[in-house]
Amino acid sequence: QVQLEESGGGSVQAGGSLRLSCAASGYTASTYCMGWFRQAPGKEREMVATVDLDFAVGVTRYADSVKGRFTISEDNHKTELSLQMNNLKPEDTAMYYCAAALGRGYCATSPTAFPYWGPGTQVTVSS
């Protein structure tokens, strides 16, 4: 199993930046995908960004709404995942979650493909 814990959330004004971090512990060696998801009140949880760690090492994917503004990175040891968020917009306001999938494979974008989740960190962007 893998344990995940996010940090770095907070409140910023539109146009500002935040950096989220996710510390992973446990059986991290078998992680094949890590990602960031977010969920706003009344909305479904959605993929923000993922990074492949197995067959397609280093391949990243982004939601269209964050491309060019957010950057996902991993520490090459499967123990820390980051999300640099620039030019934040009010619509980025949500609870942000780190997620991981273990075994072999390619990253999926559906939250149902990720068995392991952190408790989440709140990001609030004011206009």
Side-chain angles (χ1 to χ4, degrees):
Q1 291 195 353
V2 171
Q3 294 77 45
L4 305 170
E5 185 159 3
E6 306 91 344
S7 61
S11 297
V12 294
Q13 291 190 329
S17 298
L18 282 174
R19 185 177 181 86
L20 304 183
S21 294
C22 172
S25 59
Y27 196 52
T28 59
S30 63
T31 305
Y32 73 84
C33 180
M34 296 185 77
W36 289 97
F37 291 76
R38 66 187 181 186
Q39 187 166 18
K43 295 188 176 181
E44 294 186 351
R45 191 168 296 190
E46 63 176 1
M47 185 273 287
V48 175
T50 62
V51 58
D52 274 84
L53 302 175
D54 186 26
F55 296 134
V57 175
V59 171
T60 56
R61 296 175 182 82
Y62 295 90
D64 288 343
S65 59
V66 307
K67 282 180 181 176
R69 301 187 297 122
F70 290 12
T71 303
I72 189 171
S73 60
E74 181 267 337
D75 69 343
N76 295 324
H77 299 289
K78 305 181 180 181
T79 59
E80 185 166 335
L81 186 72
S82 297
L83 185 70
Q84 178 66 42
M85 305 185 294
N86 297 328
N87 190 21
L88 283 159
K89 304 176 179 180
E91 51 264 43
D92 294 318
T93 295
M95 185 70 80
Y96 282 71
Y97 299 92
C98 175
L102 274 60
R104 303 299 304 276
Y106 295 93
C107 278
T109 58
S110 170
T112 59
F114 293 80
Y116 300 98
W117 295 85
T121 186
Q122 178 68 38
V123 171
T124 302
V125 184
S126 59
S127 57

